[in-house]
Amino acid sequence: MLRYLFFYFLLIVHYIAYIYGLLIVVDALFSWVDFLYRSVVGKLINRIVNPYIALFRIKPIMKISYSFGIDLSPLIGILLLWIIQNITFRLMVQVL
């Protein structure tokens, strides 16, 4: 019984990481189109995604971002979510 609860917990974490990664991609795409970024949906997605992305906007990363001309913090955030997805998937396989 506890095994199945742990499995479903991992499944929920896996899907949350997936959906959050999609929201980061949508926010990055919306930031390129001004009227989408300033829309109600764009502002809502930005409010959801920005606290997580702000964790990766530290000085060394921002220096690299300025030299490339692209904000790399969404890429780092998506990479971390991808790692979480892989870990949860491997644990789900082991639980079953």
Side-chain angles (χ1 to χ4, degrees):
M1 177 73 177
L2 188 61
R3 192 172 164 187
Y4 292 113
L5 287 174
F6 185 61
F7 174 79
Y8 285 117
F9 171 74
L10 290 173
L11 186 65
I12 290 169
V13 170
H14 182 79
Y15 281 126
I16 288 173
Y18 177 75
I19 292 169
Y20 207 76
L22 288 177
L23 286 175
I24 292 172
V25 170
V26 169
D27 185 57
L29 292 175
F30 276 16
S31 69
W32 290 348
V33 182
D34 192 43
F35 72 91
L36 290 175
Y37 192 69
R38 294 176 189 255
S39 69
V40 175
V41 175
K43 288 180 183 178
L44 178 67
I45 292 174
N46 194 346
R47 287 184 66 195
I48 293 170
V49 169
N50 201 28
Y52 175 68
I53 296 300
L55 296 173
F56 306 108
R57 290 190 175 131
I58 55 177
K59 195 166 188 165
I61 295 172
M62 290 310 290
K63 283 184 180 181
I64 296 170
S65 294
Y66 288 141
S67 65
F68 284 123
I70 291 179
D71 186 10
L72 297 177
S73 53
L75 294 174
I76 296 169
I78 289 172
L79 178 66
L80 183 63
L81 288 174
W82 180 73
I83 291 169
I84 291 170
Q85 283 180 309
N86 281 333
I87 290 171
T88 56
F89 184 75
R90 288 174 193 263
L91 287 174
M92 284 189 296
V93 169
Q94 288 179 359
V95 166
L96 290 179

